[in-house]
């Protein structure tokens, strides 16, 4: 993962902080709440992360999340297409 972050920062000129944050968010989304963390005693929490990228306009906040979420969107679209074809049948 570090290699991907450094490549995007070097070749795409994105901020490393935005890339790493977007990737953590995408991994959290991909886990879909299937894992829980025991905090203390019986108290448990999901591994969900709610992330906001903050910066001035033109700083490059949009491309890192778009890149990180692309595989998730492709998977969701494939599932939607399968659902739609089953619905038509």
């Amino acid at each position: 993962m570090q290699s991907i972050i450094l490549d995007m920062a070097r070749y795409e000129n994105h901020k490393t902080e935005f890339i790493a944050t977007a990737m953590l968010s995408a991994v959290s989304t991909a886990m879909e709440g299937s894992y829980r963390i025991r905090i203390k005693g019986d108290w448990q929490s999901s591994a969900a992360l709610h992330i906001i990228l903050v910066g001035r306009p033109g700083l490059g906040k949009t491309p890192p999340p778009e890149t990180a979420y692309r595989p998730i969107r492709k998977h969701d679209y494939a599932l939607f297409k399968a659902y739609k074809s089953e619905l038509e049948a």
Side-chain angles (χ1 to χ4, degrees), residues 2-3 5 7 16 22 34 38 45 51 62 70-71 73 82 84-86:
Q2 184 179 5
S3 161
I5 293 171
D7 286 346
T16 306
S34 58
R38 185 181 312 278
S45 180
I51 292 176
T62 303
R70 188 173 298 131
R73 284 194 203 103
K84 197 171 177 181
S85 66
E86 285 182 23

Side-chain angles (χ1 to χ4, degrees), residues 1 9 15 37 56 61 67 87:
M1 182 176 340
K15 293 217 171 271
I37 302 167
R56 63 178 170 72
K61 299 177 298 291
T67 302
L87 190 62

